[in-house]
Amino acid sequence: MRILYIEGEPRWEYKFIRRAMEDDTSIDLTAVVRTTQKQTYQQGGVDGELVDGFPRKLKVSSPSTA
């Protein structure tokens, strides 16, 4: 499961969520937190995934059937 967490300022909830999910390998958490009015902090996800901004189209993947 992939989760995108976006926050307008650093909050304790982000720290709690990140710690709760860091041991679960089935969850890929990407966080974008605004640190100042013109800067953001990105943690997790695929390297460079959001370099060009957010995707314009929703990409839905089907669950695999075994």
Side-chain angles (χ1 to χ4, degrees):
M1 176 188 316
R2 297 184 75 197
I3 297 173
L4 176 60
Y5 177 90
I6 301 172
E7 184 63 66
E9 60 187 39
R11 297 181 193 267
W12 70 269
E13 291 94 339
Y14 167 64
K15 186 176 182 180
F16 175 79
I17 291 169
R18 183 180 52 81
R19 285 186 177 172
M21 295 183 185
E22 67 186 1
D23 292 332
D24 190 340
T25 58
S26 69
I27 297 175
D28 179 20
L29 175 64
T30 301
V32 180
V33 179
R34 187 172 72 178
T35 55
T36 67
Q37 197 165 12
K38 295 183 179 183
Q39 291 185 327
T40 59
Y41 170 73
Q42 180 180 340
Q43 184 175 25
V46 179
D47 288 337
E49 182 176 39
L50 298 176
V51 164
D52 295 326
F54 294 103
R56 301 240 182 251
K57 294 182 180 180
L58 178 64
K59 188 164 88 172
V60 178
S61 54
S62 301
S64 61
T65 55

